[in-house]
């Protein structure tokens, strides 16, 4: 968030206008108000953002619902093959096993290409800028000095951990013409990879910084820095939410509620509680 916008958001909150709802609204918002609950889709087993009904996204969803005067109903779900499947199952169509879709889904990349390819949803409300980062043991992966990135050549000799089937995984398997493949160790989660790093089984882990920071905690001696490799096509992305394309009033209400929560420091406080420094997009 730019400094020039923050006074405007504080003013909205002070006037009590940010989360005000129209008397009549789109069908999704009217249905949520009728039942008294906001149905919020969250990725399951995705610490520190959501794990069951706990985590950053869970608490943010609860705070958003409260601003709208609704009771939060958290709906954890397992990620499908790609984001388009998740948006279809959890936002605009529903799933034959899970039933009707949620009112809003959190932790959606706010990306124009993704939005254009999924015209049945509205993607908006960025609340964090996620960045790919490297956590390393400096005695095994020394800093090169200056502003240069850690050389990837070191991982032709040292083991580096990564969560399987992720952006970081694809990058490590393909970079340097595949020369790192033998030293890329796959894990089911960033948390498991970080545990192996702490135990000395790895020299480094490549993963989203929020997940790294939360998993590392106060681990002494481990250095974390943004990945600055020119070969890495996507280094950071804003994270927001999604609603149905025909739910403009719900989008507006959530946008205003988020503005209040950003202005009064609630969003940043939720991130700090879980050991993650919140970065405004």
């Amino acid at each position: 968030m730019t400094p020039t916008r923050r006074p405007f958001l504080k003013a909205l909150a002070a006037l009590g206008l940010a989360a005000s709802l129209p008397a009549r609204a789109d069908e999704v918002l009217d249905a949520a108000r009728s039942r008294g609950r906001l149905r919020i889709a969250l990725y399951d087993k995705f610490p520190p953002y959501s794990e069951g009904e706990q985590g950053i996204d869970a608490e943010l969803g609860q705070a958003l619902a409260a601003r709208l005067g609704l009771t939060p109903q958290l709906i954890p779900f397992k990620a499908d093959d790609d984001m388009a499947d998740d948006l279809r199952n959890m936002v605009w169509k529903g799933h034959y096993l899970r039933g009707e879709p949620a009112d809003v889904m959190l932790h959606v990349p706010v990306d124009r290409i993704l939005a254009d390819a999924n015209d049945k949803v509205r993607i908006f409300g960025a609340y964090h800028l996620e960045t790919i980062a490297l956590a390393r043991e400096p005695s095994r992966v020394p800093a090169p000095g200056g502003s240069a990135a850690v050389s990837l050549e070191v991982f032709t000799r040292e083991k580096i951990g990564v969560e399987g089937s992720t952006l970081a995984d694809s990058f490590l398997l393909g970079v340097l013409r595949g020369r790192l493949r033998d030293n890329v160790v796959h894990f089911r989660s960033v948390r498991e990879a970080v545990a192996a790093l702490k135990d000395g089984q790895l020299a480094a882990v490549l993963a989203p910084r929020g997940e790294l920071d939360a998993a590392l905690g106060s681990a002494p001696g481990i250095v974390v820095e943004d990945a600055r490799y020119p070969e890495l096509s996507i280094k950071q992305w804003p994270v927001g939410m999604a609603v149905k394309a025909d739910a403009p009033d719900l989008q507006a209400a959530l946008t205003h509620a988020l503005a209040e929560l950003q202005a009064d420091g609630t969003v940043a406080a939720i991130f700090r509680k879980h050991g993650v420094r919140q970065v405004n997009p």
Side-chain angles (χ1 to χ4, degrees), residues 13-248:
L15 290 171
L17 298 177
S20 61
L21 304 179
R24 294 184 62 83
D26 60 62
E27 290 184 3
V28 179
L29 181 52
D30 277 346
R33 287 164 42 169
S34 177
R35 78 175 82 94
R37 290 178 283 111
L38 184 70
R39 293 165 49 84
I40 305 159
L42 307 169
Y43 285 107
D44 198 9
K45 296 181 175 59
F46 183 36
Y49 295 104
S50 47
E51 191 163 19
E53 296 189 355
Q54 307 295 320
I56 292 170
D57 289 342
E59 292 187 24
L60 177 59
Q62 291 166 350
L64 288 168
R67 292 280 173 162
L68 270 58
L70 300 171
T71 300
Q73 180 183 352
L74 303 181
I75 307 173
F77 72 97
K78 182 180 179 182
D80 214 313
D81 291 336
D82 60 35
M83 180 60 66
D85 292 336
D86 295 337
L87 292 170
R88 181 187 65 246
N89 294 335
M90 303 310 300
V91 179
W92 64 268
K93 184 177 182 179
H95 190 277
Y96 72 96
L97 291 177
R98 301 188 186 100
E100 64 178 339
D103 301 316
V104 59
M105 174 179 161
L106 298 188
H107 219 94
V108 179
V110 181
D111 177 80
R112 182 174 297 278
I113 295 176
L114 177 66
D116 290 345
N118 293 274
D119 60 0
K120 294 184 182 299
V121 303
R122 294 168 178 257
I123 299 175
F124 65 100
Y127 55 86
H128 179 54
L129 185 66
E130 188 62 276
T131 303
I132 295 292
L134 182 75
R136 60 183 173 85
E137 166 49 62
S139 65
R140 298 170 63 179
V141 184
S147 60
V150 170
S151 173
L152 291 168
E153 286 285 345
V154 68
F155 301 118
T156 62
R157 305 180 298 277
E158 293 281 4
K159 299 289 186 183
I160 181 169
V162 69
E163 181 180 357
S165 302
T166 60
L167 170 65
D169 179 22
S170 297
F171 168 70
L172 289 174
L173 293 178
V175 76
L176 298 186
R177 299 183 179 180
R179 290 170 55 210
L180 308 185
R181 285 176 174 268
D182 290 345
N183 283 326
V184 176
V185 184
H186 292 92
F187 294 86
R188 291 177 297 180
S189 68
V190 174
R191 180 186 287 174
E192 291 184 5
V194 167
L197 174 63
K198 290 179 177 180
D199 289 343
Q201 301 172 39
L202 305 170
V205 173
L206 189 69
R209 183 153 197 160
E211 296 176 68
L212 280 176
D213 286 344
L216 282 166
S218 58
I222 302 297
V223 175
V224 183
E225 54 207 2
D226 293 348
R228 300 188 298 273
Y229 303 112
E231 303 94 336
L232 184 58
S233 59
I234 301 174
K235 298 178 179 63
Q236 59 183 20
W237 58 95
V239 174
M241 58 189 99
V243 299
K244 279 185 177 180
D246 56 358

